[in-house]
Amino acid sequence: MSARVEPGTPGRSLDQGPPEPALLRLEHGLFRFSYNEPRSAALLLVATVLALIWANLPGGTYQAFWHTELGLSLGDVEFSMDLKHWVNDGLMAFFFFAVGLEVKRELAIGELTDRSRAVVPVLAAMAGLALPAVIFLIMNASGPGAGAWGVVVSTDTAFVLGVLALVGPRRAARLRLFILALAITDDIGALLIIAFFYTESINLAALFAALVGFGLILGLRRLRVARGAGYFVVGIATWVAMYLSGVHPTLAGVVIALLLPVFPPKRQAVERAAQLARAFRQSPNAKYERAARVGLTTAVSVNERLQIAFHPPNALVIIPLFALANAGVTLRPEMLAAAYGSWLTWGIVAGLVVGKLVGIAGAGAIITRLRPRALPPGLTLPQLVGGAALSGIGFTISLFIVDLALTDPVLQDQARVGVFTASLIAAGLGALIFFAIRGQTRDLGPPLELLRPVDPERDHIRGRVDAPYTLIEYGDFECPFCSRATGSIREVREFFGDDLRYVFRHLPIEHDHPRAFQAALASEAAAEQGKFWELHDLLFANSDALEPEQLRGYAEQLELDLEAYDEALRTRAHAARVTDDLIDAETSELTGTPAFYIGEERLIGPYDAARLIWELAESREAPPGAVEAPPEPDPEPAGRADTAAESEKSEEKPAGS
């Protein structure tokens, strides 16, 4: 088998074909960089520092540059703004468009469709929106700065995730998902606030033209237009109409994004795309190339394609450029003295730092008190408190609202100083909280207790649900060690009979076993039809033959409803279930497969049948005298080539070993 090489990675095996073009390698490199959260946050920080340095250079070139007029004219019609407003009102429309796409996806087919997953982050985000505004208004109930209460409501997701990656827990997958879900709700609230509270006057004729533009977007959607060009042309015209209407034009991007369709790939479209691609491969020509490209385009929703297309320019160009245009504050001693003596500055600091922390953490604590299992396994209340502290980093949208809420340059500078100060304090406070949490568990090693208790409604259980002995395996259908362990497990089940319940959970190690995740999805599709264990056994018996056609052959062999099976795999209907197991395993620091738990305690070392039987018989879960414990196995069990020491080493090998 040839080595798996990521696109753009130096060194290619001979059977991988010709090297990628340089432009494609550059595109892949930029794409990977844009999705690296610490690097994206660092780029934003660099742009902010450059803005501050530039603004404090003698000569006033910073202000002069960003207030340079740039316009378009056609006959008597002229459209002109300064460079700063081209960034804030023009380029930021693409940023808010991407936010709208993400909101639409999460509401339609993402995390926020599952009420059990969404309840804590949504309610925490609502508290984290309301309390900061209340604190700010208590400190600025009247006066010219009172309208800036919207500055404190939003969290900068890019900065928060970047800082979390640097200072957060080693295994922070659950916390990261919580912050992402919270950020989606936070973004919805911020967008509504901009729409309803920062619009001064309305030009009804222009607003009607914008509504016509939105209607045209809906028309394109009904006509099933899949290419982005048509939406782009109508979107630009709608943005111009929204700008002339008096409503902030960036909201045009949000509304258009919410109107675009999002759906999982449809089987017929995927099969059609595959046929067109096959035809092009057999007879490469321009006609077949265009047909294959159109087929691939229509197989995926325009929402998901545009999310992929807009993420790199947003992360690498638009957001850093926004910071460069808006973060420039002249840090004169008299200005800083005025800022730190201003209720406006301290209202923003208190709102972001105290309001976000108390609002989000307080709501999370109340919910978990009322519903003890409201937090997913692996996410603890102390971690949530650390995430709440980091949520006080309000940068991009906070600076954006500063420009909308305040017209006095002096007040704007004071507000920006408040945003910078709050963001620094929030980052430091979050880092201290995570350091304290880490200090409590620094020398305890990896967790040994089972993270998620066995749930008969959720877990795949072989044997009596109420059996006194429990053996849990985290496994990977493509892992050769897992397939060999099935023989050991069979002996264990024969020994204990009805007194053992065996639980299987997923731990697909994709970087070593590229077909493992798809095999896990196939097993869940079979479980939907009541045949999980039958396919489980087939997959382990054929762990080296897990291509999609072979998986479908096993489903056919088990006489599954193939249409329902295909639909489940096409829509990835069970991806969240498999990912949940995977995140649980990562949080528990399971570094390889198979990994076993005896009852609720992790097994370290060999996992041959004799060892498993002895550990189960000695487990604290077992009622006294239920099964007579066999003699403790030798360090070198019969029929096993590796020693106990070697087995313990295998626990420490890279994942998938």
Side-chain angles (χ1 to χ4, degrees):
M1 182 184 297
S2 61
R4 297 176 70 231
V5 179
E6 292 295 328
T9 303
R12 304 176 63 84
S13 56
L14 294 175
D15 61 344
Q16 285 182 295
E20 291 177 312
L23 188 60
L24 191 58
R25 290 202 304 274
L26 176 63
E27 181 184 342
H28 286 159
L30 291 175
F31 187 82
R32 287 196 299 272
F33 186 96
S34 71
Y35 273 94
N36 185 297
E37 287 149 1
R39 291 177 183 174
S40 296
L43 185 61
L44 187 54
L45 182 61
V46 167
T48 303
V49 172
L50 287 176
L52 289 170
I53 294 172
W54 186 7
N56 285 275
L57 291 176
T61 57
Y62 179 85
Q63 295 295 338
F65 177 81
W66 290 110
H67 286 92
T68 302
E69 288 288 319
L70 176 67
L72 302 171
S73 62
L74 182 63
D76 295 333
V77 179
E78 185 175 352
F79 189 82
S80 178
M81 293 188 290
D82 64 26
L83 291 178
K84 181 176 179 180
H85 281 90
W86 275 112
V87 172
N88 289 5
D89 298 351
L91 290 181
M92 286 299 284
F94 293 103
F95 167 76
F96 283 105
F97 175 72
V99 170
L101 290 173
E102 189 174 6
V103 167
K104 176 67 178 286
R105 186 187 184 284
E106 294 301 321
L107 290 172
I109 59 175
E111 288 286 319
L112 298 185
T113 58
D114 187 338
R115 288 179 59 189
S116 64
R117 291 169 179 264
V119 61
V120 180
V122 167
L123 293 178
M126 291 171 66
L129 285 165
L131 187 59
V134 170
I135 290 174
F136 178 88
L137 289 172
I138 289 173
M139 300 176 69
N140 294 271
S142 59
W149 60 271
V151 172
V152 301
V153 300
S154 185
T155 294
D156 191 297
T157 311
F159 255 138
V160 170
L161 292 178
V163 175
L164 178 66
L166 295 174
V167 305
R170 284 183 301 170
R171 306 291 181 179
R174 291 285 182 202
L175 179 58
R176 185 180 180 280
L177 288 174
F178 173 86
I179 289 176
L180 282 173
L182 182 144
I184 293 295
T185 308
D186 189 276
D187 288 340
I188 294 171
L191 294 172
L192 290 174
I193 287 167
I194 292 170
F196 288 103
F197 295 98
Y198 293 106
T199 297
E200 295 180 358
S201 59
I202 301 292
N203 181 324
L204 292 178
L207 184 61
F208 178 76
L211 293 175
V212 170
F214 296 138
L216 290 174
I217 295 290
L218 279 175
L220 292 173
R221 174 179 172 172
R222 287 187 174 277
L223 291 172
R224 300 176 185 268
V225 174
R227 305 293 295 275
Y231 294 105
F232 179 78
V233 171
V234 177
I236 292 296
T238 305
W239 175 86
V240 173
M242 188 74 90
Y243 175 83
L244 297 174
S245 75
V247 179
H248 202 276
T250 55
L251 294 174
V254 178
V255 176
I256 291 170
L258 294 175
L259 294 176
L260 294 180
V262 56
F263 52 81
K266 294 180 171 58
R267 188 181 71 177
Q268 296 88 342
V270 172
E271 290 177 351
R272 174 65 176 161
Q275 291 171 357
L276 292 169
R278 193 178 304 115
F280 172 73
R281 183 178 182 181
Q282 293 171 351
S283 177
N285 59 68
K287 179 181 176 182
Y288 282 4
E289 179 270 338
R290 184 178 185 281
R293 185 155 35 85
V294 171
L296 290 169
T297 297
T298 55
V300 181
S301 75
V302 66
N303 175 291
E304 296 199 64
R305 284 188 287 107
L306 289 176
Q307 278 197 67
I308 294 295
F310 275 92
H311 188 275
N314 267 318
L316 303 179
V317 179
I318 293 175
I319 300 304
L321 196 57
F322 170 82
L324 191 63
N326 288 269
V329 178
T330 306
L331 301 176
R332 299 185 307 273
E334 60 273 19
M335 191 281 292
L336 290 175
Y340 287 121
S342 165
W343 284 105
L344 172 61
T345 300
W346 290 111
I348 291 172
V349 172
L352 283 170
V353 175
V354 179
K356 286 290 184 183
L357 173 59
V358 175
I360 294 171
I366 292 171
I367 296 167
T368 52
R369 183 70 180 267
L370 297 174
R371 295 177 54 190
R373 292 191 178 183
L375 293 181
L379 177 60
T380 64
L381 195 55
Q383 288 180 351
L384 192 150
V385 172
L390 291 183
S391 297
I393 302 175
F395 192 82
T396 305
I397 295 182
S398 293
L399 292 178
F400 185 82
I401 295 178
V402 165
D403 204 53
L404 298 178
L406 302 168
T407 55
D408 184 344
V410 174
L411 294 179
Q412 287 182 344
D413 281 350
Q414 291 177 3
R416 292 187 184 109
V417 169
V419 172
F420 296 156
T421 304
S423 298
L424 288 172
I425 294 173
L429 182 59
L432 284 174
I433 291 171
F434 286 123
F435 180 78
I437 295 171
R438 193 178 300 122
Q440 294 171 6
T441 59
R442 182 176 299 164
D443 299 321
L444 299 182
L448 297 179
E449 290 188 1
L450 182 68
L451 186 66
R452 184 191 294 268
V454 175
D455 181 359
E457 296 296 321
R458 175 189 184 278
D459 280 308
H460 302 298
I461 299 176
R462 209 167 205 170
R464 270 177 36 219
V465 171
D466 60 345
Y469 298 93
T470 300
L471 176 64
I472 302 165
E473 177 185 2
Y474 279 86
D476 173 320
F477 286 117
E478 200 177 352
C479 169
F481 293 96
C482 295
S483 61
R484 292 171 199 163
T486 54
S488 300
I489 294 163
R490 193 176 301 113
E491 288 183 43
V492 175
R493 290 178 51 231
E494 289 172 359
F495 182 90
F496 285 96
D498 290 339
D499 284 334
L500 175 71
R501 61 175 182 177
Y502 166 63
V503 180
F504 182 85
R505 292 177 176 174
H506 302 285
L507 178 48
I509 316 268
E510 287 190 274
H511 61 76
D512 283 328
H513 304 137
R515 291 168 289 276
F517 197 94
Q518 188 73 359
L521 293 181
S523 72
E524 292 296 330
E528 201 172 34
Q529 301 184 40
K531 292 193 175 181
F532 172 84
W533 290 109
E534 290 86 344
L535 188 55
H536 164 280
D537 294 345
L538 264 178
L539 295 177
F540 274 130
N542 300 276
S543 62
D544 57 347
L546 300 178
E547 296 294 344
E549 298 81 3
Q550 294 166 321
L551 293 176
R552 198 173 192 275
Y554 304 143
E556 190 172 2
Q557 183 178 332
L558 295 175
E559 299 182 348
L560 297 182
D561 179 340
L562 293 181
E563 187 172 342
Y565 169 87
D566 290 339
E567 182 74 4
L569 290 189
R570 178 185 64 79
T571 60
R572 294 173 66 87
H574 304 289
R577 167 70 174 79
V578 176
T579 302
D580 269 347
D581 280 356
L582 181 59
I583 293 175
D584 288 349
E586 289 177 349
T587 306
S588 299
E589 301 185 29
L590 303 183
T591 58
T593 52
F596 291 97
Y597 286 83
I598 305 295
E600 294 192 353
E601 187 172 346
R602 182 175 169 185
L603 177 70
I604 303 295
Y607 47 81
D608 55 276
R611 171 84 190 284
L612 290 174
I613 290 170
W614 189 86
E615 292 286 354
L616 280 164
E618 290 291 308
S619 68
R620 61 175 181 268
E621 240 183 55
V627 172
E628 184 179 348
E632 183 174 0
D634 294 330
E636 249 183 290
R640 185 175 174 84
D642 54 330
T643 65
E646 287 171 335
S647 296
E648 289 189 13
K649 275 186 186 177
S650 71
E651 280 288 321
E652 299 172 1
K653 284 183 182 179
S657 295

